[in-house]
Amino acid sequence: MAPRALDGLLAAETGWQARASLLSPPPPAELPGRCQLAVIGAGLTGLSAALAAAEAGCSVALLDAGAVGGGASGRNSGFVVPVPSRLGPPQLRAWLGDDAAPYLAALAASSASLLALPEACATRQGWMLAFADAPDQPAQGQAEAWRALGAAVQPLEGDELRAATGSSLYRHALLFQDGGQVDPLALASGLAERCRAAGAALLEHCPALKVETRARDGLHRIDTPRGALLAEKVLLAGNAYSRDGARDVIRRSVPLELTLGQFELAPEQQTRLLPADIPFSDNRRDMWFFRKTPEGQLLTGLFSLSAGRSAQWHADQLRRRIVAVFGEDAGAARLWSGRVGLTPSGQPSLAAPGEGVLSWTGCNGRGLALSALLGRSLARQLIRAEPCLLPFSGQPLRGRALLRWMTQAAIAHDRQRRNRALGGH
């Protein structure tokens, strides 16, 4: 079978990897024979869970089939978003009831903790949700509805919005002040060092080939290429990158590929484009989003709806978006892809596949603050029997192939509609 063009982008070096310091790798950890908590997946969820458990005095083994941050946690845009995906205040209240405000507060606290880490190369100036269409509710009314749930949010319109974005394309935006942006791979690497310092055994390139979700004598057996591990509790934290013994996790979400492009900007463009250095995403199904990297490149991306599209096709599409939003082109591009776990509801899917075994998937493009929050919450549920912040969602999805096709079709329809509306560009 001929290789798909998208496979090359899924394996391509990211901009975050290119800017990573060339540090000597830590010595490989030994696989312990037994631990209190085994975490499968060394992304933001797994690292946050392992750190919380190790700091609580538990023995922890953290396994990953690849390198730390090698999956979605290191191949994303680095947006730290303090609100859930695809839900406004009424829908959030309908989903969580009285727990809606505490959940928002927990997301804001998780955002703040990530943005406070010096290794994350963070910029904490907020995150904007921009509206391309006429809103159902005025910006001020939307902001007040969010504030009633405790969110720190400010409406932006007119000259104020243009001054923040360097664009006149959007009608209004909501600036969520607890958000920001990070280097996600640097964040993951920094959390890995904190895990090691706290005593967790972190084993990279050590896949969990088989995970027994049914305990025997109170222990779960995890088979790896380096031997067997016995664990009292297990957290499956691979999300859309789950594989081998944890592959059943992905049956609860629909994986979709997202291609990112990092474009060089001339010095004068760095002043004109996103002058406030606040990242933003818009509210369309075919989401457009932009930020600047610490070195001043412009980062954007799009959902990849065909595995046969070349890197050049993706670069051309992203350049058209840059011109449509900012009125000017950008320089050379570095492209890569990653996978995002989507759910029909737009909210994470939590599961308990066995006694003493928990998992979640479905970050829906809002993965950093949410992943770190759920990692800590699920770890505490396992080791301390604390209640989880979110409800568990029951059975795996049925008809995942159809759901993937429907999702791609909805995004493609929105993409065509917007392209027609922006035909002049």
Side-chain angles (χ1 to χ4, degrees), residues 240-241 250 253-257 339-342 400 404 408:
Y241 280 79
I250 61 173
S253 68
V254 177
L256 206 63
E257 290 76 26
R339 290 193 182 92
V340 180
L342 306 177
R400 289 176 64 248
R404 176 180 167 91
Q408 291 175 315

Side-chain angles (χ1 to χ4, degrees), residues 323-346:
V323 172
V325 173
F326 300 106
E328 52 188 291
D329 201 352
R334 173 190 296 273
L335 273 75
W336 71 91
S337 298
R339 290 193 182 92
V340 180
L342 306 177
T343 57
S345 67

Side-chain angles (χ1 to χ4, degrees), residues 388-400:
C388 189
L389 285 166
L390 296 178
F392 282 63
S393 52
Q395 299 300 314
L397 296 176
R398 300 180 63 180
R400 289 176 64 248

Side-chain angles (χ1 to χ4, degrees), residues 118-139:
E119 55 266 42
C121 302
T123 302
R124 182 175 181 173
Q125 298 184 142
W127 167 83
M128 287 186 291
L129 177 62
F131 291 82
D133 303 318
D136 296 330
Q137 183 182 18

Side-chain angles (χ1 to χ4, degrees), residues 206-397:
C206 184
L209 302 175
K210 182 178 179 181
V211 179
E212 291 184 353
T213 56
R214 181 174 298 177
R216 301 182 184 183
D217 298 323
L219 296 172
H220 302 271
R221 179 187 172 103
I222 301 167
D223 292 330
T224 82
R226 304 184 198 180
L229 168 67
L230 298 178
E232 297 174 19
K233 309 288 183 181
V234 180
L235 177 60
L236 306 176
N239 206 329
Y241 280 79
S242 298
R243 51 173 285 189
D244 299 322
R247 63 184 177 274
D248 283 350
V249 172
I250 61 173
R251 295 171 57 208
R252 297 177 179 273
S253 68
V254 177
L256 206 63
E257 290 76 26
L258 183 71
T259 295
L260 300 177
Q262 181 178 295
F263 292 81
E264 296 293 335
L265 295 177
E268 61 274 12
Q269 287 181 303
Q270 294 182 25
T271 301
R272 290 195 300 268
L273 278 61
L274 292 175
D277 204 15
I278 299 174
F280 76 84
S281 309
D282 68 25
N283 66 322
R284 300 288 290 268
R285 285 185 180 272
D286 182 31
M287 180 178 60
W288 292 17
F289 56 92
F290 298 90
R291 66 162 288 184
K292 284 192 292 198
T293 69
E295 289 75 30
Q297 298 103 336
L298 184 67
L299 190 149
T300 183
L302 80 168
F303 285 111
S304 299
L305 305 181
S306 171
R309 297 292 193 183
S310 68
Q312 186 60 54
W313 182 90
H314 284 88
D316 291 343
Q317 294 298 311
L318 293 176
R319 287 184 185 282
R320 292 191 182 103
R321 295 188 178 191
I322 293 170
V323 172
V325 173
F326 300 106
E328 52 188 291
D329 201 352
R334 173 190 296 273
L335 273 75
W336 71 91
S337 298
R339 290 193 182 92
V340 180
L342 306 177
T343 57
S345 67
Q347 302 315 309
S349 174
L350 282 66
E355 185 177 354
V357 182
L358 298 178
S359 70
W360 87 278
T361 185
C363 65
N364 292 282
R366 300 281 174 87
L368 296 185
L370 176 62
S371 294
L373 173 61
L374 285 179
R376 292 189 295 269
S377 179
L378 293 172
R380 289 166 182 159
Q381 183 176 354
L382 285 167
I383 65 176
R384 293 180 180 172
E386 291 185 7
C388 189
L389 285 166
L390 296 178
F392 282 63
S393 52
Q395 299 300 314
L397 296 176

